[in-house]
Amino acid sequence: MFQEKYKKANDSIPCNQELKNSLMKKAEAPSRNSLLPWICATAAVIGISVFSYMGFHQESNTDVLSSVASNTPAVSVSQTPKAETKKEKQKSEGTAGIVKQESDRVMAVAVAEQEEVKTETVIESEEPVSDIPATASVVMPKTVELEPDMDYSEEIPQPAEKTEVPENQQITGGGGAAMASVGGASMAIGASAPRGSETEDSALTEDADVETVDGETQGEESPQPTSTPMLEPALTEENAVSDSQ
Amino acid sequence: MQKKKSPVPEQTVIETYFNMVYKLALSQTKNKTTADDVTQEVFLRYLKHSEKLKTEEHRKAWLIRVTLNCSKNVFTNAWSKKTVPLEDELVFEEQETGEVYYAVLELPSKYRSVIHLFYYEDMSIEEISKVLERAPATVKSQLFRAREMLRKKLEGGEADVSGKIQKGE
């Protein structure tokens, strides 16, 4: 009985249908959390479209200003192709110039390499000559001039006779004789002053060889057979001077 | 009790439990307008936390618990202390039903909730203990004391009340 009466009393109390309907509508409506991604997406799309429109508007304004500055009709469409063609021409010319310059550079490099090769070959060809004592290159023409006049077969033993002279007198006397007799050749010797010591050394070695061997092994052990032409003209000239005296 | 998996549409939840929440709020607040406010607050909270409620049993228990808490807060917050609720009288067609209902409203709040859940919602003592987070013995003693109070107020209704309690046990 109590339960039935209590249930009847509660069931007889009407509910607030307006409140119930409002809560039902509230449940149907999507919440803000669900709308947030859509709001963000729409805001991003609107922002991107606005920025793109602003960028396009600025570009159009710059085209109009450039056309006005060049005193040409403000037709951006007609101006831009010309500028582009000019730029393209300049670019093509620039590329052609660059190609030419590059080809010239390549040619110059090739020529320079060839010249370097030539100079190297020349230097290589000259190096053996430089190895030869400077006196030989200078004295050789004199020997050619003296060949028809003198008889070498008879005068070859003469250096062997001078081996008896002391070393100091022989070096100084020999050099002095060469300087005095040749004249022009002394200039060449003087020009090759740095190598004078070498010539003196070679002369000393030659003299030493001459002293030790006494003329017998002169031709075999002498390191530079070209020294004989240096000595020969000197001797011949001395002989010639002596003959002339 | 059947256990249904979520998600359940929120409209169906409102349709199912609106009457329960409103009647429980009315039994606690004794005022229709205040019961409306409590009911609105309960379902607004439910719309925020509906995803956390997995089973139907959990959902019902959550709604009852939130309704009782909101009903208590109505009388404890500063705004309600400075206001006077409108006087509205509940009109019942039968006088006996009215007497029973007003006899329940005169009980203390802790006994009213137990009586309302036990007699109107047909919940067992264990279910009430789980919802109210009270021990079953406490719920049983509170139910016994509430029945004794009603017995004194309602002359001649003692047998029916005791018999219902025996069924529930």
Side-chain angles (χ1 to χ4, degrees), chain A residues 110-202:
Chain A
V111 171
E113 289 179 355
Q114 290 178 357
E115 289 178 357
E116 288 178 357
V117 170
K118 288 180 179 179
T119 52
E120 287 177 359
T121 53
V122 169
I123 290 166
E124 288 177 357
S125 62
E126 289 177 358
E127 282 177 353
V129 175
S130 64
D131 292 336
I132 297 167
T135 54
S137 61
V138 175
V139 176
M140 284 298 289
K142 298 293 182 183
T143 55
V144 170
E145 292 176 355
L146 295 171
E147 280 180 355
D149 297 332
M150 298 303 294
D151 187 6
Y152 297 100
S153 62
E154 295 178 357
E155 295 177 358
I156 288 169
Q158 288 180 359
E161 293 176 358
K162 288 186 178 178
T163 55
E164 294 175 359
V165 178
E167 292 179 359
N168 295 329
Q169 293 179 358
Q170 185 180 0
I171 291 166
T172 56
M179 293 289 284
S181 61
V182 175
S186 65
M187 293 297 289
I189 292 166
S192 61
R195 295 183 180 179
S197 60
E198 293 179 357
T199 54
E200 290 176 359
D201 294 335
S202 62

Coordinates of all heavy atoms in Angstrom, one line a residue, chain A residues 110-202:
Chain A
A110 N 94.9 26.0 -73.8 CA 95.5 25.0 -74.7 C 96.8 25.6 -75.2 O 97.9 25.0 -75.2 CB 94.6 24.6 -75.8
V111 N 96.7 26.9 -75.7 CA 98.0 27.5 -76.2 C 99.0 27.6 -75.1 O 100.2 27.4 -75.3 CB 97.6 28.9 -76.8 CG1 98.8 29.7 -77.1 CG2 96.7 28.7 -78.0
A112 N 98.5 28.1 -73.9 CA 99.5 28.2 -72.8 C 100.1 26.9 -72.5 O 101.4 26.8 -72.3 CB 98.8 28.7 -71.6
E113 N 99.3 25.8 -72.6 CA 99.9 24.5 -72.3 C 100.9 24.1 -73.4 O 102.0 23.5 -73.1 CB 98.8 23.5 -72.2 CG 97.9 23.6 -71.0 CD 96.8 22.6 -71.0 OE1 96.7 21.9 -72.0 OE2 96.1 22.5 -70.0
Q114 N 100.5 24.4 -74.6 CA 101.5 24.1 -75.7 C 102.8 24.9 -75.5 O 103.9 24.4 -75.7 CB 100.8 24.4 -77.0 CG 99.7 23.5 -77.4 CD 99.0 23.9 -78.7 OE1 99.4 24.9 -79.3 NE2 98.1 23.0 -79.1
E115 N 102.6 26.2 -75.2 CA 103.8 27.0 -75.0 C 104.7 26.5 -73.8 O 105.9 26.4 -73.9 CB 103.4 28.5 -74.7 CG 102.8 29.2 -75.9 CD 102.4 30.6 -75.6 OE1 102.5 30.9 -74.4 OE2 102.0 31.3 -76.5
E116 N 104.0 26.1 -72.8 CA 104.7 25.5 -71.7 C 105.4 24.2 -72.1 O 106.6 24.0 -71.7 CB 103.7 25.2 -70.5 CG 103.2 26.4 -69.8 CD 102.2 26.1 -68.7 OE1 101.9 24.9 -68.6 OE2 101.8 27.0 -68.0
V117 N 104.7 23.5 -72.9 CA 105.4 22.2 -73.4 C 106.6 22.6 -74.2 O 107.7 22.0 -74.1 CB 104.4 21.4 -74.2 CG1 105.1 20.3 -74.9 CG2 103.3 20.9 -73.3
K118 N 106.4 23.6 -75.1 CA 107.6 24.0 -75.9 C 108.7 24.5 -75.1 O 109.9 24.2 -75.3 CB 107.1 25.1 -76.9 CG 106.2 24.6 -78.0 CD 105.8 25.7 -78.9 CE 104.9 25.2 -80.0 NZ 104.4 26.3 -80.9
T119 N 108.4 25.4 -74.1 CA 109.4 25.9 -73.2 C 110.1 24.8 -72.5 O 111.3 24.8 -72.3 CB 108.8 26.9 -72.3 OG1 107.7 26.3 -71.6 CG2 108.4 28.2 -73.0
E120 N 109.3 23.9 -72.1 CA 109.9 22.7 -71.4 C 110.8 22.0 -72.3 O 111.9 21.6 -71.9 CB 108.8 21.8 -70.8 CG 108.0 22.4 -69.6 CD 106.9 21.5 -69.2 OE1 106.7 20.5 -69.9 OE2 106.3 21.9 -68.2
T121 N 110.4 21.8 -73.5 CA 111.2 21.1 -74.5 C 112.5 21.9 -74.7 O 113.6 21.3 -74.8 CB 110.5 20.8 -75.8 OG1 110.0 22.1 -76.2 CG2 109.3 19.9 -75.5
V122 N 112.3 23.2 -74.9 CA 113.5 24.0 -75.1 C 114.4 24.0 -73.9 O 115.6 23.8 -74.1 CB 113.0 25.5 -75.4 CG1 114.2 26.4 -75.4 CG2 112.3 25.5 -76.7
I123 N 113.8 24.1 -72.7 CA 114.7 24.0 -71.5 C 115.4 22.7 -71.4 O 116.5 22.6 -71.1 CB 113.8 24.3 -70.3 CG1 113.4 25.7 -70.3 CG2 114.6 23.9 -69.0 CD1 112.3 26.0 -69.3
E124 N 114.6 21.6 -71.8 CA 115.2 20.3 -71.7 C 116.3 20.2 -72.8 O 117.4 19.6 -72.5 CB 114.1 19.3 -72.0 CG 113.2 19.1 -70.8 CD 112.1 18.1 -71.2 OE1 112.1 17.6 -72.3 OE2 111.3 17.8 -70.3
S125 N 116.1 20.8 -73.9 CA 117.2 20.8 -74.9 C 118.3 21.6 -74.5 O 119.5 21.4 -74.9 CB 116.6 21.2 -76.3 OG 116.2 22.6 -76.2
E126 N 118.0 22.7 -73.8 CA 119.1 23.6 -73.4 C 119.9 23.1 -72.2 O 121.0 23.5 -71.9 CB 118.6 25.0 -73.1 CG 118.1 25.7 -74.3 CD 117.5 27.1 -74.0 OE1 117.4 27.4 -72.8 OE2 117.1 27.8 -74.9
E127 N 119.2 22.3 -71.4 CA 119.9 21.8 -70.2 C 121.2 21.1 -70.5 O 122.2 21.4 -69.8 CB 118.9 20.9 -69.4 CG 117.9 21.7 -68.7 CD 116.9 20.8 -68.0 OE1 117.0 19.6 -68.2 OE2 116.0 21.3 -67.2
P128 N 121.3 20.2 -71.5 CA 122.6 19.6 -71.7 C 123.6 20.6 -72.1 O 124.8 20.5 -71.7 CB 122.3 18.6 -72.8 CG 120.8 18.4 -72.9 CD 120.2 19.6 -72.2
V129 N 123.2 21.6 -72.8 CA 124.1 22.7 -73.2 C 124.6 23.4 -72.0 O 125.8 23.8 -71.9 CB 123.4 23.6 -74.2 CG1 124.4 24.8 -74.5 CG2 123.0 22.9 -75.5
S130 N 123.6 23.7 -71.1 CA 124.0 24.4 -69.8 C 125.0 23.6 -69.0 O 125.8 24.1 -68.3 CB 122.8 24.8 -69.0 OG 122.2 23.6 -68.6
D131 N 124.8 22.2 -69.1 CA 125.8 21.4 -68.4 C 127.2 21.6 -68.9 O 128.2 21.4 -68.1 CB 125.3 19.9 -68.5 CG 124.0 19.7 -67.7 OD1 123.8 20.5 -66.8 OD2 123.3 18.8 -68.1
I132 N 127.3 21.8 -70.1 CA 128.6 22.0 -70.7 C 129.2 23.3 -70.1 O 128.5 24.3 -70.0 CB 128.5 22.1 -72.2 CG1 128.0 20.8 -72.8 CG2 129.9 22.5 -72.8 CD1 127.6 20.9 -74.2
P133 N 130.4 23.4 -69.8 CA 131.0 24.7 -69.3 C 130.8 25.8 -70.3 O 130.8 25.6 -71.5 CB 132.5 24.3 -69.2 CG 132.5 22.9 -69.0 CD 131.4 22.3 -69.8
A134 N 130.6 27.0 -69.7 CA 130.4 28.2 -70.5 C 131.5 28.5 -71.5 O 131.3 29.0 -72.5 CB 130.1 29.3 -69.6
T135 N 132.6 28.2 -71.1 CA 133.8 28.5 -71.9 C 133.8 27.7 -73.2 O 134.2 28.2 -74.2 CB 135.1 28.1 -71.1 OG1 135.0 26.7 -70.7 CG2 135.2 29.0 -69.9
A136 N 133.2 26.5 -73.2 CA 133.2 25.7 -74.4 C 132.3 26.3 -75.4 O 132.7 26.4 -76.6 CB 132.7 24.3 -74.0
S137 N 131.1 26.8 -75.0 CA 130.2 27.4 -76.0 C 130.8 28.7 -76.6 O 130.5 29.0 -77.7 CB 128.9 27.7 -75.3 OG 129.1 28.7 -74.3
V138 N 131.6 29.3 -75.8 CA 132.2 30.6 -76.3 C 133.4 30.3 -77.2 O 133.7 30.9 -78.2 CB 132.6 31.5 -75.1 CG1 133.3 32.7 -75.6 CG2 131.3 31.9 -74.4
V139 N 134.1 29.3 -76.8 CA 135.4 29.1 -77.4 C 135.3 28.3 -78.7 O 136.1 28.4 -79.6 CB 136.4 28.3 -76.5 CG1 137.7 28.0 -77.1 CG2 136.6 29.2 -75.2
M140 N 134.2 27.6 -78.9 CA 134.0 26.7 -80.0 C 134.2 27.5 -81.4 O 134.9 27.0 -82.3 CB 132.7 26.0 -80.0 CG 132.6 24.9 -79.0 SD 133.8 23.6 -79.4 CE 133.0 22.9 -80.9
P141 N 133.6 28.6 -81.5 CA 133.7 29.3 -82.8 C 135.2 29.7 -83.1 O 135.6 29.7 -84.2 CB 132.9 30.6 -82.6 CG 131.9 30.3 -81.6 CD 132.6 29.3 -80.6
K142 N 135.9 30.0 -82.1 CA 137.4 30.3 -82.3 C 138.1 29.1 -82.8 O 138.9 29.2 -83.7 CB 138.0 30.7 -80.9 CG 137.4 32.0 -80.3 CD 137.7 33.2 -81.2 CE 137.1 34.5 -80.6 NZ 137.3 35.7 -81.4
T143 N 137.7 27.9 -82.3 CA 138.4 26.7 -82.8 C 138.1 26.5 -84.2 O 138.9 26.1 -85.0 CB 138.0 25.5 -82.0 OG1 136.6 25.4 -82.0 CG2 138.4 25.6 -80.5
V144 N 136.8 26.9 -84.6 CA 136.5 26.7 -86.0 C 137.3 27.6 -86.9 O 137.7 27.3 -87.9 CB 135.0 27.0 -86.2 CG1 134.6 27.0 -87.6 CG2 134.2 25.9 -85.4
E145 N 137.5 28.8 -86.3 CA 138.3 29.8 -87.2 C 139.8 29.4 -87.3 O 140.4 29.6 -88.2 CB 138.2 31.2 -86.5 CG 136.8 31.8 -86.6 CD 136.7 33.1 -85.9 OE1 137.7 33.5 -85.3 OE2 135.6 33.7 -86.0
L146 N 140.2 28.7 -86.2 CA 141.6 28.4 -86.2 C 141.9 27.1 -86.9 O 143.0 26.7 -87.0 CB 142.1 28.4 -84.7 CG 142.1 29.7 -84.0 CD1 142.4 29.5 -82.5 CD2 143.0 30.7 -84.6
E147 N 140.8 26.3 -87.2 CA 141.1 25.0 -87.8 C 141.9 25.0 -89.1 O 142.9 24.2 -89.2 CB 139.8 24.3 -88.0 CG 139.2 23.7 -86.7 CD 137.9 23.0 -87.0 OE1 137.4 23.1 -88.1 OE2 137.3 22.4 -86.0
P148 N 141.6 25.8 -90.0 CA 142.4 25.8 -91.2 C 143.8 26.2 -91.1 O 144.7 25.8 -91.9 CB 141.6 26.7 -92.2 CG 140.8 27.6 -91.3 CD 140.5 26.8 -90.1
D149 N 144.1 27.0 -90.1 CA 145.4 27.5 -89.9 C 146.4 26.6 -89.2 O 147.6 26.6 -89.5 CB 145.4 28.9 -89.2 CG 144.6 29.9 -90.0 OD1 144.6 29.7 -91.3 OD2 144.0 30.8 -89.4
M150 N 145.9 25.9 -88.2 CA 146.7 25.2 -87.3 C 146.7 23.7 -87.7 O 145.7 23.2 -88.2 CB 146.3 25.4 -85.9 CG 146.4 26.8 -85.4 SD 148.0 27.5 -85.6 CE 148.9 26.6 -84.4
D151 N 147.7 23.1 -87.2 CA 147.9 21.6 -87.4 C 147.8 21.0 -86.0 O 148.8 21.2 -85.2 CB 149.2 21.3 -88.1 CG 149.3 19.8 -88.4 OD1 148.2 19.1 -88.2 OD2 150.3 19.4 -88.9
Y152 N 146.7 20.3 -85.7 CA 146.5 19.8 -84.3 C 147.3 18.6 -84.1 O 147.6 18.3 -82.9 CB 145.0 19.5 -84.1 CG 144.2 20.7 -84.2 CD1 143.4 21.0 -85.4 CD2 144.1 21.6 -83.1 CE1 142.7 22.1 -85.4 CE2 143.4 22.7 -83.2 CZ 142.6 23.0 -84.4 OH 141.9 24.1 -84.4
S153 N 147.6 17.9 -85.1 CA 148.4 16.6 -84.8 C 149.7 16.9 -84.2 O 150.2 16.1 -83.4 CB 148.6 15.9 -86.1 OG 149.3 16.7 -87.0
E154 N 150.3 18.0 -84.5 CA 151.6 18.3 -83.9 C 151.5 19.0 -82.6 O 152.4 18.9 -81.8 CB 152.4 19.3 -84.9 CG 152.7 18.6 -86.2 CD 153.4 19.5 -87.2 OE1 153.5 20.7 -86.8 OE2 153.7 19.1 -88.3
E155 N 150.5 19.7 -82.3 CA 150.4 20.5 -81.1 C 149.8 19.8 -79.9 O 149.7 20.4 -78.9 CB 149.7 21.8 -81.4 CG 150.4 22.7 -82.4 CD 149.6 23.9 -82.7 OE1 148.5 24.1 -82.2 OE2 150.1 24.8 -83.4
I156 N 149.2 18.7 -80.1 CA 148.5 18.0 -79.0 C 149.5 17.7 -77.9 O 149.1 17.9 -76.7 CB 147.9 16.7 -79.6 CG1 146.6 17.1 -80.4 CG2 147.5 15.8 -78.4 CD1 146.1 16.0 -81.2
P157 N 150.7 17.3 -78.1 CA 151.5 17.0 -77.0 C 151.9 18.2 -76.2 O 152.5 18.1 -75.1 CB 152.8 16.4 -77.6 CG 152.5 16.2 -79.0 CD 151.3 16.9 -79.4
Q158 N 151.6 19.4 -76.6 CA 152.1 20.6 -75.9 C 151.5 20.7 -74.5 O 152.2 21.1 -73.6 CB 151.7 21.8 -76.7 CG 152.6 22.0 -77.9 CD 152.3 23.2 -78.7 OE1 151.3 24.0 -78.4 NE2 153.0 23.4 -79.8
P159 N 150.3 20.4 -74.2 CA 149.8 20.5 -72.8 C 150.5 19.6 -71.9 O 150.7 19.8 -70.7 CB 148.3 20.1 -72.9 CG 147.9 20.4 -74.3 CD 149.2 20.2 -75.1
A160 N 150.9 18.4 -72.4 CA 151.7 17.5 -71.6 C 153.0 18.2 -71.2 O 153.5 17.9 -70.1 CB 152.0 16.2 -72.4
E161 N 153.6 19.0 -72.0 CA 154.8 19.7 -71.7 C 154.6 20.7 -70.5 O 155.4 20.9 -69.7 CB 155.4 20.5 -72.9 CG 155.8 19.5 -74.0 CD 156.3 20.3 -75.2 OE1 156.2 21.5 -75.2 OE2 156.7 19.6 -76.2
K162 N 153.3 21.3 -70.5 CA 153.0 22.3 -69.5 C 152.7 21.7 -68.1 O 152.4 22.4 -67.2 CB 151.9 23.2 -69.9 CG 152.3 24.2 -71.0 CD 151.2 25.1 -71.3 CE 151.6 26.1 -72.4 NZ 150.5 27.1 -72.7
T163 N 152.6 20.4 -68.1 CA 152.3 19.8 -66.8 C 153.4 20.0 -65.8 O 153.2 19.8 -64.6 CB 152.1 18.3 -67.1 OG1 153.2 17.8 -67.7 CG2 150.8 18.1 -67.9
E164 N 154.5 20.3 -66.3 CA 155.6 20.5 -65.4 C 155.5 21.8 -64.6 O 156.1 22.0 -63.6 CB 156.9 20.5 -66.2 CG 157.2 19.1 -66.8 CD 158.5 19.2 -67.7 OE1 159.1 20.2 -67.8 OE2 158.8 18.1 -68.2
V165 N 154.7 22.7 -65.2 CA 154.6 24.0 -64.5 C 153.8 23.8 -63.2 O 152.9 23.0 -63.1 CB 153.8 25.0 -65.5 CG1 153.6 26.3 -64.8 CG2 154.6 25.1 -66.7
P166 N 154.1 24.6 -62.2 CA 153.3 24.5 -60.9 C 151.8 24.8 -61.1 O 151.4 25.5 -62.1 CB 153.9 25.5 -60.0 CG 155.3 25.7 -60.5 CD 155.2 25.5 -62.0
E167 N 151.0 24.2 -60.2 CA 149.5 24.3 -60.4 C 149.1 25.8 -60.3 O 148.2 26.2 -61.1 CB 148.9 23.6 -59.2 CG 149.1 22.1 -59.3 CD 148.4 21.4 -58.2 OE1 147.8 22.0 -57.3 OE2 148.5 20.1 -58.2
N168 N 149.5 26.5 -59.4 CA 149.1 27.9 -59.3 C 149.4 28.7 -60.6 O 148.6 29.4 -61.1 CB 149.7 28.6 -58.1 CG 149.2 28.0 -56.8 OD1 148.1 27.5 -56.8 ND2 150.1 28.0 -55.8
Q169 N 150.6 28.6 -61.0 CA 151.0 29.3 -62.2 C 150.2 28.8 -63.5 O 149.8 29.6 -64.3 CB 152.5 29.1 -62.5 CG 153.3 29.8 -61.4 CD 154.8 29.6 -61.7 OE1 155.2 28.9 -62.6 NE2 155.6 30.2 -60.8
Q170 N 149.9 27.6 -63.5 CA 149.2 27.0 -64.6 C 147.8 27.5 -64.7 O 147.3 27.9 -65.7 CB 149.2 25.5 -64.5 CG 148.6 24.8 -65.8 CD 148.6 23.4 -65.7 OE1 149.1 22.8 -64.6 NE2 148.2 22.7 -66.7
I171 N 147.1 27.6 -63.5 CA 145.7 28.0 -63.5 C 145.6 29.5 -63.8 O 144.9 29.9 -64.7 CB 145.1 27.7 -62.1 CG1 145.0 26.2 -61.9 CG2 143.8 28.4 -61.9 CD1 144.8 25.9 -60.4
T172 N 146.5 30.2 -63.2 CA 146.4 31.6 -63.4 C 146.9 32.0 -64.8 O 146.3 32.8 -65.5 CB 147.2 32.4 -62.4 OG1 148.6 31.9 -62.4 CG2 146.6 32.2 -61.0
G173 N 148.0 31.3 -65.2 CA 148.5 31.6 -66.5 C 147.7 31.2 -67.6 O 147.5 31.9 -68.6
G174 N 147.0 30.0 -67.4 CA 146.1 29.5 -68.4 C 145.0 30.4 -68.6 O 144.6 30.8 -69.7
G175 N 144.4 30.8 -67.5 CA 143.2 31.6 -67.5 C 143.5 33.0 -68.1 O 142.8 33.5 -68.9
G176 N 144.6 33.5 -67.6 CA 145.0 34.8 -68.1 C 145.4 34.8 -69.6 O 145.0 35.7 -70.3
A177 N 146.0 33.7 -70.0 CA 146.3 33.6 -71.4 C 145.0 33.6 -72.2 O 144.9 34.2 -73.3 CB 147.1 32.3 -71.7
A178 N 144.0 32.8 -71.7 CA 142.7 32.8 -72.4 C 142.0 34.1 -72.4 O 141.5 34.6 -73.4 CB 141.8 31.8 -71.7
M179 N 142.1 34.8 -71.3 CA 141.5 36.1 -71.2 C 142.2 37.1 -72.2 O 141.5 37.8 -72.9 CB 141.6 36.6 -69.8 CG 140.7 35.9 -68.8 SD 139.0 36.1 -69.0 CE 138.9 37.7 -68.3
A180 N 143.4 37.0 -72.2 CA 144.2 38.0 -73.0 C 144.1 37.7 -74.4 O 143.9 38.6 -75.2 CB 145.7 38.0 -72.5
S181 N 144.2 36.5 -74.8 CA 144.3 36.1 -76.2 C 142.9 36.2 -76.8 O 142.8 36.8 -77.9 CB 144.8 34.7 -76.3 OG 143.9 33.8 -75.7
V182 N 141.9 35.7 -76.2 CA 140.6 35.6 -76.8 C 139.9 37.0 -76.8 O 139.4 37.4 -77.8 CB 139.8 34.6 -76.1 CG1 138.4 34.6 -76.7 CG2 140.4 33.2 -76.2
G183 N 140.0 37.7 -75.8 CA 139.4 39.0 -75.8 C 137.9 38.9 -75.6 O 137.4 38.9 -74.5
G184 N 137.3 38.8 -76.7 CA 135.8 38.7 -76.7 C 135.3 37.5 -75.9 O 134.3 37.5 -75.3
A185 N 136.1 36.5 -75.9 CA 135.8 35.3 -75.1 C 135.8 35.6 -73.6 O 135.1 35.0 -72.8 CB 136.7 34.1 -75.4
S186 N 136.7 36.5 -73.2 CA 136.8 36.9 -71.8 C 135.5 37.5 -71.3 O 135.1 37.3 -70.2 CB 137.9 37.9 -71.6 OG 137.6 39.1 -72.2
M187 N 134.8 38.2 -72.2 CA 133.5 38.7 -71.8 C 132.5 37.6 -71.5 O 131.8 37.6 -70.6 CB 133.0 39.6 -73.0 CG 133.8 40.8 -73.2 SD 133.8 41.9 -71.8 CE 132.1 42.5 -71.9
A188 N 132.6 36.6 -72.4 CA 131.7 35.5 -72.1 C 132.0 34.8 -70.8 O 131.1 34.4 -70.1 CB 131.8 34.5 -73.3
I189 N 133.3 34.7 -70.5 CA 133.7 34.1 -69.3 C 133.2 35.0 -68.1 O 132.7 34.5 -67.1 CB 135.2 33.8 -69.2 CG1 135.5 32.8 -70.3 CG2 135.6 33.4 -67.9 CD1 137.0 32.7 -70.6
G190 N 133.4 36.3 -68.3 CA 133.0 37.2 -67.2 C 131.5 37.1 -67.0 O 131.0 37.2 -65.9
A191 N 130.8 37.0 -68.1 CA 129.3 36.9 -68.0 C 128.9 35.7 -67.2 O 127.9 35.7 -66.5 CB 128.7 36.9 -69.4
S192 N 129.7 34.6 -67.4 CA 129.3 33.4 -66.6 C 130.2 33.3 -65.4 O 130.8 32.3 -65.1 CB 129.6 32.2 -67.5 OG 130.9 32.2 -67.9
A193 N 130.2 34.5 -64.6 CA 131.0 34.5 -63.4 C 130.5 33.5 -62.4 O 131.4 32.9 -61.7 CB 130.9 35.9 -62.8
P194 N 129.3 33.3 -62.2 CA 128.9 32.3 -61.2 C 129.4 30.9 -61.5 O 129.6 30.1 -60.6 CB 127.4 32.2 -61.2 CG 127.0 33.5 -61.8 CD 128.1 33.9 -62.7
R195 N 129.6 30.7 -62.7 CA 130.1 29.3 -63.1 C 131.7 29.3 -63.1 O 132.3 28.4 -63.6 CB 129.6 28.9 -64.4 CG 128.1 28.7 -64.3 CD 127.5 28.2 -65.6 NE 126.1 28.0 -65.5 CZ 125.3 27.6 -66.5 NH1 125.9 27.3 -67.7 NH2 124.0 27.4 -66.4
G196 N 132.3 30.4 -62.9 CA 133.7 30.5 -62.9 C 134.3 29.5 -62.0 O 135.4 28.9 -62.2
S197 N 133.7 29.4 -60.8 CA 134.3 28.5 -59.8 C 134.2 27.1 -60.3 O 135.1 26.3 -60.1 CB 133.5 28.6 -58.5 OG 132.1 28.3 -58.8
E198 N 133.1 26.8 -61.1 CA 133.0 25.5 -61.6 C 134.1 25.2 -62.6 O 134.7 24.2 -62.7 CB 131.6 25.3 -62.2 CG 130.5 25.3 -61.2 CD 129.1 25.2 -61.9 OE1 129.1 25.1 -63.1 OE2 128.1 25.1 -61.1
T199 N 134.3 26.2 -63.4 CA 135.3 26.1 -64.4 C 136.7 25.9 -63.8 O 137.5 25.1 -64.2 CB 135.4 27.3 -65.4 OG1 135.5 28.5 -64.5 CG2 134.1 27.4 -66.2
E200 N 136.9 26.7 -62.7 CA 138.2 26.5 -62.0 C 138.3 25.2 -61.4 O 139.3 24.5 -61.4 CB 138.3 27.6 -60.9 CG 138.4 29.0 -61.5 CD 138.5 30.0 -60.4 OE1 138.3 29.6 -59.2 OE2 138.6 31.2 -60.7
D201 N 137.1 24.7 -60.8 CA 137.2 23.4 -60.2 C 137.5 22.3 -61.3 O 138.3 21.4 -61.1 CB 135.9 23.0 -59.5 CG 135.6 24.0 -58.4 OD1 136.7 24.4 -57.8 OD2 134.5 24.2 -58.0
S202 N 136.8 22.5 -62.4 CA 137.0 21.5 -63.5 C 138.4 21.6 -64.0 O 139.1 20.6 -64.3 CB 136.0 21.8 -64.6 OG 136.3 23.1 -65.1

